[in-house]
Amino acid sequence: MIGKVVLALAGVVASLLAIYNNPPYGLHLLLPILAMTLSSMLTGWRCTLAAQVLLWLGLILLCATHHIPLAEMIVVAIVTAVVAFAVQRDNNPLLGAFGLHQTTENEVLRSLLSAVPVVLLDKQGRISRASKACADIFGIPQSATVGQSFGDLVPGFDYAKQAAPSVPSGQVESGRANWHAMRPDQSSPIPVDLWLDHTPQGPLIRLVDLTPRHAADAQARELHSQLNKVWRLNSLGEMAATLAHELNQPLGAAAAYLHAAQEDMKAAGPLGESALRTTDLAKAQMLRGGQIIRRMRELLTMEMRALEKERVSRIVDDVLPILTLTGQDRNIVISTEIEMPDVVRMDRIQVQQALVNLVRNAVEASPNNSSVVITGKVISDRSYEIGVEDSGPGIAPDQVDSVFQPMTSTKSGGMGLGLSVTRTIVESHGGTLRVGVSRWGGARFSFNLTTAKQEAEE
């Protein structure tokens, strides 16, 4: 600002000195015009107006002291004023004294609006003005939007039904799931929300691009699908382990009985040789069945991947939208209380599945209009505790030992695998799944994970 003032004063002083010294060949008239033109080009309208006033005062003083005739004073004053006005009009901003200057506030407002997708419609539903952000959504130049029917760019939009003066301001409802902005390159239409506001110039419609929201929803669904897949595999592994354990005992007993029968057949001599061969085949198939079960157990039992460095708050935030939906119908609020630092070693997907299992159980156990809290607490420089607290009736003391057993469930229709799978995940991370009493008297399930710092030291 100081530099512009100095330039304006320099233009005035140069002009007055040129007139005062009265150079030949009419330079005393030309030099003031050149000086004021240059000053107007390099300064704003305020400095230009102030310099023009000072020049007029100087010209009056020189005319009063007979250094310049009255006619030349008038010519110089008029010509410099016209030149300064023309330069400022082309240079923008304009002279505020004539009401033609665009104020700084309006310029800022215009810059902000250019980043917002808005369109102004006329009475026929055609676009009279559109912001650059709006033109970018439609994939056409900003100038090309003017005059186009908004209904052609957003199929299904009817001016009489959705933007007439009688229609209240607010979100414009669509008969379908969303409005869609069409693009001339025939690419996928962009889902948008429309918001209407009535102005003196006509209906103003703001477009909200829903693409980022839909992308986030798709990512949440993909994560949910991955978690369900891991849960099914873990559950199948638990079932395979249980079946292998339970079936190995009767198969082993049957093999022992066959072996005893073979000994009796050997004592019978030649009469038992035929039956001995048959029992040998049966015994071999029984042992083969045991081997198949053990191989299936090894195949389906969860494999532990290398543990990565993860933040507890981040893995909780990733699944929080999914967890929130589980309690939404019953107005159960799911919140988090995560202490820092929260960097631990874990398999992210498996720990997220354990959290999903625990929170689902907590929501099902809690009454309506209650709370479930996911906590994270630093126990030591080697251990970090993750817990889930509910507002339900809690776990009876006589059920604490059996609640983690596979195929054991207190819910009708439950498979009894959720806590069993969760315990397997926790134990594969070197921790122990514990149950206690929450702050509301309900159940609190917790487990510890190794901090990343300890791993680094080891």
Side-chain angles (χ1 to χ4, degrees):
M1 184 63 185
I2 296 177
K4 293 182 179 181
V5 172
V6 172
L7 286 174
L9 291 177
V12 173
V13 172
S15 300
L16 295 177
L17 287 176
I19 296 173
Y20 180 81
N21 292 325
N22 194 19
Y25 309 111
L27 293 178
H28 65 293
L29 299 179
L30 181 61
L31 288 177
I33 296 174
L34 293 177
M36 293 306 296
T37 300
L38 182 62
S39 175
S40 299
M41 292 175 63
L42 299 177
T43 61
W45 67 271
R46 292 184 180 86
C47 292
T48 300
L49 181 59
Q52 196 66 46
V53 172
L54 291 176
L55 179 63
W56 288 342
L57 293 176
L59 289 174
I60 293 173
L61 180 62
L62 291 176
C63 181
T65 56
H66 306 290
H67 285 85
I68 183 174
L70 177 62
E72 291 184 2
M73 182 199 74
I74 294 174
V75 170
V76 172
I78 293 175
V79 171
T80 54
V82 170
V83 170
F85 177 83
V87 169
Q88 282 299 313
R89 181 180 60 188
D90 294 336
N91 202 29
N92 196 17
L94 303 177
L95 284 174
F98 295 93
L100 299 175
H101 173 64
Q102 185 72 23
T103 63
T104 304
E105 292 80 5
N106 287 340
E107 289 291 342
V108 173
L109 182 60
R110 177 178 295 180
S111 299
L112 291 175
L113 288 177
S114 65
V116 179
V118 292
V119 294
L120 187 66
L121 304 182
D122 58 20
K123 295 182 180 180
Q124 286 73 40
R126 295 189 298 264
I127 299 176
S128 58
R129 295 184 66 179
S131 66
K132 184 179 184 303
C134 182
D136 291 340
I137 288 181
F138 294 123
I140 56 178
Q142 187 175 4
S143 58
T145 60
V146 178
Q148 289 207 37
S149 172
F150 190 70
D152 293 340
L153 297 175
V154 182
F157 180 84
D158 189 340
Y159 174 84
K161 295 180 180 179
Q162 276 113 10
S166 59
V167 178
S169 299
Q171 185 174 6
V172 181
E173 298 295 336
S174 171
R176 303 180 299 274
N178 295 115
W179 298 100
H180 288 86
M182 305 303 295
R183 301 171 69 90
D185 56 2
Q186 303 299 321
S187 60
S188 300
I190 297 178
V192 294
D193 275 345
L194 303 181
W195 294 82
L196 172 67
D197 188 21
H198 294 285
T199 68
Q201 292 78 25
L204 184 73
I205 296 181
R206 176 169 59 92
L207 291 82
V208 179
D209 188 355
L210 300 179
T211 304
R213 186 187 307 175
H214 287 189
D217 292 342
Q219 184 178 6
R221 289 193 297 270
E222 177 64 22
L223 177 60
H224 193 193
S225 176
Q226 291 180 8
L227 292 175
N228 282 336
K229 182 178 180 180
V230 172
W231 183 86
R232 289 193 297 269
L233 290 175
N234 288 339
S235 299
L236 193 56
E238 284 288 332
M239 293 177 64
T242 302
L243 290 173
H245 176 73
E246 298 298 331
L247 292 178
N248 272 332
Q249 292 181 1
L251 285 176
Y257 287 137
L258 285 176
H259 182 74
Q262 285 179 323
E263 294 298 325
D264 291 339
M265 292 175 188
K266 289 179 181 178
L271 294 177
E273 290 182 359
S274 178
L276 186 62
R277 287 193 296 270
T278 304
T279 54
D280 279 337
L281 294 175
K283 182 180 178 181
Q285 291 301 315
M286 193 167 294
L287 294 176
R288 180 173 176 271
Q291 292 174 355
I292 292 174
I293 291 175
R294 285 192 294 273
R295 289 176 182 174
M296 290 299 295
R297 179 183 178 182
E298 293 173 358
L299 177 64
L300 296 176
T301 300
M302 179 180 55
E303 264 186 26
M304 189 61 198
R305 296 191 180 96
L307 300 182
E308 300 291 338
K309 186 186 296 185
E310 300 282 353
R311 295 191 61 178
V312 174
S313 56
R314 183 171 300 171
I315 68 110
V316 172
D317 289 340
D318 286 345
V319 296
L320 194 57
I322 301 173
L323 300 177
T324 302
L325 293 177
T326 62
Q328 193 172 29
D329 294 339
R330 298 168 53 205
N331 197 26
I332 296 177
V333 178
I334 300 175
S335 58
T336 61
E337 297 175 0
I338 308 297
E339 287 185 5
M340 301 295 172
D342 63 342
V343 181
V344 298
R345 293 283 182 179
M346 70 169 75
D347 185 304
R348 179 175 60 88
I349 295 296
Q350 292 179 358
V351 173
Q352 284 178 336
Q353 181 59 48
L355 279 175
V356 170
N357 290 344
L358 293 177
V359 172
R360 280 177 177 169
N361 289 344
V363 169
E364 292 174 356
S366 299
N368 295 343
N369 304 311
S370 59
S371 300
V372 171
V373 178
I374 304 172
T375 62
K377 184 178 180 181
V378 178
I379 302 301
S380 66
D381 59 351
R382 295 175 174 270
S383 182
Y384 191 93
E385 182 190 74
I386 299 176
V388 176
E389 302 184 35
D390 63 46
S391 310
I395 305 296
D398 58 343
Q399 295 181 350
V400 171
D401 294 333
S402 62
V403 72
F404 299 112
Q405 297 298 323
M407 310 298 181
T408 300
S409 177
T410 59
K411 298 175 290 186
S412 61
M415 294 182 63
L417 292 173
L419 286 177
S420 177
V421 171
T422 302
R423 184 183 63 174
T424 302
I425 292 174
V426 171
E427 290 176 351
S428 69
H429 284 72
T432 302
L433 185 60
R434 303 178 299 275
V435 60
V437 180
S438 72
R439 68 190 74 177
W440 302 289
R444 181 181 189 272
F445 289 87
S446 62
F447 57 91
N448 289 14
L449 295 176
T450 305
T451 61
K453 181 179 179 182
Q454 180 195 6
E455 292 288 327
E457 291 173 352
E458 293 176 357

